[in-house]
Amino acid sequence: MIREAMPEYLTTIGLEIHAQVRTVSKMFDGCSADYAGSPPNSRVSVVSLGLPGALPVVNARAIEYAARSGLALNCTVNTHSVFSRKSYPYPDLPKGFQITQYDEPLCSDGWVEIRLPSGTTRRIGIERLHIEEDTGRLVHADDGSSLIDYNRSGVPLMEIVSRPDISTPEEARLTFEKIRQILVWIGVNSGNLEEGALRCDANVSVRPLGQTSHGSKVEIKNINSFRFVERALAFEIQRQIAVLEAGGVIPQETRGWDEVRGETVGQRSKEFAHDYRYFPEPDIPPLVLSSEWIAARRAELPELPDARRARFEAVYMLSPQDADLLTLERAIADYFEAAVAAAQGVGGTPKDVANWVLNEGFRLLKERSEPAGRIAERMPVAHIATLIDLVAKGSINRGVAKQLFEECFDSGADPAQLVAERGLTQISDSDALVAVAREVIAANPKVVAEYRGGKTSAIQFLVGQMMRATRGQANPQVARALLEAELGA
Ligand code: MN
């Protein structure tokens, strides 16, 4: 249960999201950026190791992807931006500084829209999106020593900074989720939080209602799950209020989230901008982009998730909930539309298709721990159309169709072929079913007595027994009619 701030306090939250850019090579040299699973320090170069005399060269693809991201987040892409050096006194960046952007970022002044569970929407401002390089990774060994792996050092990173427009932990989570959805949708980020490809820092301050100046800002660093963002902020808001209530002051500091203890933990007093001693990077000229180049990036953008969700509701008459689920990921949205096109040929409606994808498709993806993108491979859209057709024609009933969906998902078989091979065709012939109805009635005297005593719902059980006796092949409507006729006689 998330406890909200007491109403006599105002909460102000801003997010800083670091997102790795999915490029082949690193930000400032040709060294491979694909380090997952590689032995430590096998993806390094003179540039990513920060050796004296090594010169950085900007990765053009990283700039394209970052500009595309800025446009998708409704930002202005600036025609003139500047790389800066930021002092960084930790060993995971061996140069002793990080190349980043400071007063002239690549993108500025955007927004994302979040939708609250109540259905209302809110716009959260995006102050800026800038480019920088990722750090290496420190591995702290049990014996107290620390090891450094520089494979990640120099991987392109976008830092996306929201405006302090967020007022609850839930809105913070929704904002983080929305930004992830968009970045993955446009193909610039893997969205993998566990592997650190997307990380969130949250700034939070509280102040008594009526106080105009903001309270001190506390930054919670490196939160790597949506749930933790919400939990860490809820805890931190309560902690700050308790300090203020007791007459204390909140120092500006950096804290971490300890999931095991369920609390934030002080790490260091927060640096101020002047501590970083920013200055323009002398080895990289200012980045100048033409308006034609920016227009080309805009032209590359696909239809974005919010627009697609709205179109699904309007064109396919889906409920907002269904449209939402079908546009969580672009691969699912593409798959759904391909299946709608395939099903149209056999008279299937978009709602039929949505039901199959959302109920059976999503269930199986989850049970088999498959990423959503695999659905098109596991269950070709033509097979969904075939199942819809077989049910509509009365060849098989819904229960058999569900079993076939699962089997086809696992084996890749064609449902029409399975039906033909196994004689699964639905039995709608009364002559064939009447004997089964009599057997079921004879075998269940108690239920029959209940039915005759006025409990008409008891017939459902008898229909179920007939389905079982026919391995699911009986037409349930015919079975029910036969039972009613037999019992009435
Ligand atoms: Mn940063």
Side-chain angles (χ1 to χ4, degrees):
M1 207 36 212
I2 303 294
R3 290 165 62 214
E4 300 293 340
M6 283 178 263
E8 58 266 40
Y9 288 88
L10 274 181
T11 300
T12 307
I13 299 168
L15 300 182
E16 282 181 26
I17 292 167
H18 283 90
Q20 286 183 349
V21 186
R22 293 184 85 174
T23 51
V24 173
S25 53
K26 290 190 176 178
M27 188 63 230
F28 298 116
D29 75 311
C31 176
S32 172
D34 180 14
Y35 62 87
S38 315
N41 297 307
S42 62
R43 295 288 185 272
V44 294
S45 62
V46 291
V47 171
S48 55
L49 287 174
L51 297 184
L55 287 173
V57 177
V58 171
N59 181 335
R61 182 54 55 83
I63 304 290
E64 285 176 20
Y65 282 6
R68 190 194 289 179
S69 305
L71 292 169
L73 298 172
N74 304 294
C75 292
T76 302
V77 176
N78 299 310
T79 51
H80 187 274
S81 67
V82 171
F83 287 96
S84 293
R85 283 189 186 183
K86 176 184 184 180
S87 290
Y88 186 90
Y90 306 102
D92 49 359
L93 263 186
K95 297 192 295 293
F97 60 87
Q98 179 188 40
I99 303 178
T100 178
Q101 295 188 300
Y102 178 48
D103 46 0
E104 292 190 71
L106 179 68
C107 307
S108 41
D109 290 323
W111 52 265
V112 287
E113 192 170 86
I114 56 169
R115 198 198 283 235
L116 302 171
S118 61
T120 56
T121 55
R122 276 207 65 198
R123 264 189 194 187
I124 306 298
I126 303 290
E127 186 183 306
R128 57 190 277 146
L129 178 155
H130 71 247
I131 294 182
E132 57 189 36
E133 56 183 331
D134 210 342
T135 64
R137 275 160 43 85
L138 280 164
V139 181
H140 302 289
D142 289 339
D143 64 3
S145 66
S146 290
L147 302 165
I148 307 180
D149 176 6
Y150 286 117
N151 283 350
R152 199 179 71 178
S153 169
V155 167
L157 211 54
M158 296 182 283
E159 181 175 317
I160 299 165
V161 182
S162 87
R163 293 198 184 281
D165 292 344
I166 301 165
S167 48
T168 67
E170 181 183 53
E171 288 179 5
R173 173 178 55 77
L174 292 168
T175 303
F176 187 20
E177 285 176 347
K178 174 56 79 179
I179 289 174
R180 176 189 183 273
Q181 181 195 28
I182 291 170
L183 297 181
V184 174
W185 188 279
I186 63 174
V188 302
N189 178 267
S190 71
N192 195 323
L193 276 72
E194 300 83 52
E195 285 171 11
L198 195 66
R199 327 192 275 269
C200 181
D201 303 339
N203 291 301
V204 55
S205 67
V206 298
R207 65 179 196 268
L209 265 183
Q211 179 184 313
T212 46
S213 60
H214 283 284
S216 305
K217 214 161 65 170
V218 169
E219 183 175 30
I220 312 169
K221 272 280 190 202
N222 281 325
I223 315 175
N224 65 351
S225 105
F226 296 120
R227 203 164 54 86
F228 295 175
V229 167
E230 202 165 344
R231 281 167 51 92
L233 283 167
F235 173 87
E236 183 58 23
I237 291 163
Q238 292 304 320
R239 186 190 72 84
Q240 292 186 18
I241 289 172
V243 170
L244 295 176
E245 291 273 301
V249 286
I250 308 284
Q252 175 159 326
E253 65 173 340
T254 298
R255 298 176 75 84
W257 172 243
D258 183 333
E259 172 61 18
V260 177
R261 285 158 61 189
E263 56 189 52
T264 61
V265 183
Q267 290 179 332
R268 54 188 149 96
S269 60
K270 169 73 183 157
E271 300 86 346
F272 293 84
H274 60 254
D275 291 329
Y276 294 129
R277 303 196 322 281
Y278 285 101
F279 65 94
E281 166 59 54
D283 291 334
I284 303 178
L287 182 65
V288 178
L289 303 171
S290 68
S291 47
E292 290 77 25
W293 185 93
I294 295 167
R297 301 292 78 74
R298 194 181 290 283
E300 283 168 3
L301 280 182
E303 183 183 25
L304 292 170
D306 287 351
R308 203 154 189 195
R309 185 191 57 209
R311 184 165 62 79
F312 278 15
E313 283 185 45
V315 174
Y316 300 127
M317 316 293 258
L318 297 183
S319 69
Q321 293 76 14
D322 287 359
D324 230 359
L325 289 168
L326 289 168
T327 52
L328 277 179
E329 290 190 43
R330 194 172 161 191
I332 290 285
D334 289 346
Y335 176 75
F336 169 71
E337 291 211 271
V340 166
Q344 225 157 32
V346 298
T349 66
K351 182 66 187 161
D352 291 333
V353 174
N355 286 342
W356 281 112
V357 174
L358 291 172
N359 299 333
E360 301 311 304
F362 275 30
R363 175 178 70 80
L364 290 168
L365 286 170
K366 195 170 172 216
E367 282 178 18
R368 308 292 189 264
S369 303
E370 294 267 12
R374 288 292 302 279
I375 192 167
E377 235 171 283
R378 302 300 299 265
M379 191 68 190
V381 293
H383 292 179
I384 291 200
T386 301
L387 286 175
I388 289 173
D389 188 35
L390 289 169
V391 173
K393 281 184 183 147
S395 304
I396 56 174
N397 64 41
R398 216 157 253 293
V400 169
K402 279 186 186 177
Q403 286 166 25
L404 289 178
F405 189 108
E406 179 159 352
E407 194 172 338
C408 296
F409 184 97
D410 286 333
S411 69
D414 180 342
Q417 204 171 336
L418 293 182
V419 168
E421 273 170 20
R422 299 191 194 155
L424 287 175
T425 307
Q426 177 165 259
I427 309 167
S428 303
D429 177 6
S430 309
D431 294 341
L433 289 176
V434 72
V436 182
R438 286 178 185 151
E439 274 168 37
V440 164
I441 288 169
N444 295 282
K446 253 180 81 179
V447 182
V448 167
E450 279 170 25
Y451 175 79
R452 291 202 162 116
K455 193 183 164 202
T456 50
S457 64
I459 201 151
Q460 255 331 103
F461 175 81
L462 300 174
V463 172
Q465 293 303 301
M466 281 189 69
M467 300 305 290
R468 214 172 134 181
T470 58
R471 292 185 307 139
Q473 283 170 253
N475 178 322
Q477 284 84 36
V478 174
R480 190 189 178 99
L482 284 171
L483 285 166
E484 281 168 355
E486 289 293 317
L487 291 169

